[in-house]
Amino acid sequence: MKTPASTAPLQPAAPEILPPRKTKQLAGWLVLIAVLIVCSIRTKVTPYQLITGLPQMGSLLREMFPPDWSYLPTIWAPMMETVQIAILGTTLGGLLAIPVALLSASNLQVSRWISLPCRMILNLVRTIPDLLFAAIFVAVFGIGPFAGMLALVFFSFGIIAKLTFEAIEAIDPGPLEAMTAVGANRMQIIRFGVVPQALPYFMSYLLYTFEVNIRAAAVLGLVGAGGIGLLLDRALGLFRYDRASIIILLTLVIVLVIDYGSTIIRRKLL
C-alpha cells in the first residue's frame, strides 16, 4: 500500500544571504569606488582631459626624437656628478641611520624616553620631501651639488632608518634571549645577535635607496642642487626637447645598470 503524498503547503525559498566575508569585500570595493569618484570630482581629473591631451603628448614626443647625440659629451660630466651626489648622500644617510635604527627598535629594550623621540625624528624627516630639502639647502648654501648631497643625506636617513628598525624588530628573538641568559651585555647582544641578522636587510635597503637617489638626484637640479637636473631644466626652458630626450635616455641607462648590479648584490646578501 502506497503512502499518500504530503499535502503540506510548499514553503517559500529563503532569500540568499551573502557570507560576512563577501559582504565586507563588497562594501570595501564600494567604498573604494566612491572615494575614487569623489577625488576625481574634487580634483577635476577626468578621462576627457587625458583624451584631449594625447595629441599634445604626441607632438611633444615628435619634438624629442631624434635625440641630439652631439649633446652627449656636454652632459656626461654632470651625469657623473649626479651619480657621485647619490653615492655620498646614500652612504652618509645610511651611516646616520644605523644608531637611530638601533635606538628605535622596541625589542632591544631601549628606554621609551629615547626610542619615542627617535621615531618622532624619523617621522618628521620622512614628512619633508627631498625637493623641499634641496630648496632649503640651496637657500642656505647656494646653488651647487653640496645642497643636493645634503638633501639626499636626510632623505636616505629617513628611509633606511625606518626600514632597518622594522627589520630589527622582526629578527629571531631566540639568539637575543640566549645571550641575555648567559650574561651578555647590550653591545655584545647587538654585535653578535642583532647585526648578523639585520645586516643583509640593511644592505638591501641601502642599495634600494641608492637606486631611488639616482633618480632623485637627477631631479634635484631643477631647484639648483647640482647635477644633470640643471641641464635638464635649461633644455626644457629653451624648448630643446631633443636635448632633454638625450638626458632622459642617459639617465635611464645609468639607472638600469645600477639596478642590475644592485639586484645581483641583494640576491647574494639575502
Side-chain angles (χ1 to χ4, degrees):
M1 184 175 181
K2 294 183 178 181
T3 305
S6 175
T7 58
L10 296 176
Q11 298 293 331
E16 184 179 356
I17 301 176
L18 292 176
R21 183 176 180 181
K22 291 186 177 180
T23 304
K24 292 180 179 179
Q25 290 178 351
L26 179 60
W29 281 109
L30 291 176
V31 170
L32 177 61
I33 294 173
V35 170
L36 292 176
I37 293 175
V38 171
C39 293
S40 177
I41 294 174
R42 298 284 294 181
T43 57
K44 299 180 181 180
V45 175
T46 61
Y48 174 76
Q49 291 178 313
L50 178 61
I51 295 173
T52 55
L54 287 177
Q56 297 180 4
M57 293 175 61
S59 61
L60 177 62
L61 290 175
R62 285 193 298 270
E63 293 181 18
M64 295 179 69
F65 290 95
D68 184 5
W69 296 102
S70 63
Y71 198 53
L72 185 60
T74 305
I75 65 175
W76 183 254
M79 177 58 72
M80 292 301 99
E81 182 181 72
T82 298
V83 175
Q84 293 162 5
I85 291 173
I87 291 174
L88 286 174
T90 307
T91 304
L92 296 178
L95 292 176
L96 292 175
I98 294 175
V100 177
L102 292 173
L103 294 175
S104 301
S106 59
N107 58 338
L108 296 185
Q109 299 179 355
V110 180
S111 173
R112 293 178 63 87
W113 294 102
I114 298 178
S115 62
L116 288 180
C118 288
R119 295 195 181 196
M120 291 179 62
I121 291 173
L122 291 180
N123 291 330
L124 175 63
V125 171
R126 292 199 314 276
T127 301
I128 304 175
D130 50 353
L131 277 175
L132 181 55
F133 271 128
I136 293 173
F137 290 127
V138 165
V140 175
F141 299 102
I143 295 175
F146 185 71
M149 186 272 295
L150 286 180
L152 292 185
V153 167
F154 281 85
F155 177 71
S156 304
F157 164 74
I159 293 179
I160 298 174
K162 169 68 173 178
L163 296 176
T164 302
F165 94 73
E166 289 181 348
I168 293 174
E169 291 181 338
I171 63 176
D172 183 10
L176 308 186
E177 295 174 356
M179 295 181 67
T180 303
V182 298
N185 58 35
R186 183 68 57 82
M187 293 303 299
Q188 291 172 332
I189 292 174
I190 293 174
R191 180 180 178 183
F192 299 105
V194 176
V195 172
Q197 297 187 70
L199 183 59
Y201 296 99
F202 171 78
M203 294 302 300
S204 177
Y205 301 146
L206 187 71
L207 293 172
Y208 168 73
T209 306
F210 176 58
E211 297 174 24
V212 175
N213 282 344
I214 290 291
R215 302 176 181 90
V219 179
L220 293 182
L222 296 176
V223 294
I228 195 65
L230 289 173
L231 294 182
L232 180 60
D233 183 45
R234 185 182 305 168
L236 293 175
L238 296 175
F239 303 103
R240 292 297 305 269
Y241 298 116
D242 54 342
R243 291 184 174 182
S245 64
I246 191 64
I247 294 173
I248 294 173
L249 289 175
L250 181 58
T251 305
L252 176 62
V253 171
I254 297 294
V255 168
L256 290 177
V257 171
I258 293 174
D259 179 70
Y260 178 74
S262 62
T263 300
I264 295 176
I265 297 174
R266 278 199 299 266
R267 287 176 180 174
K268 293 183 178 181
L269 290 175
L270 297 178

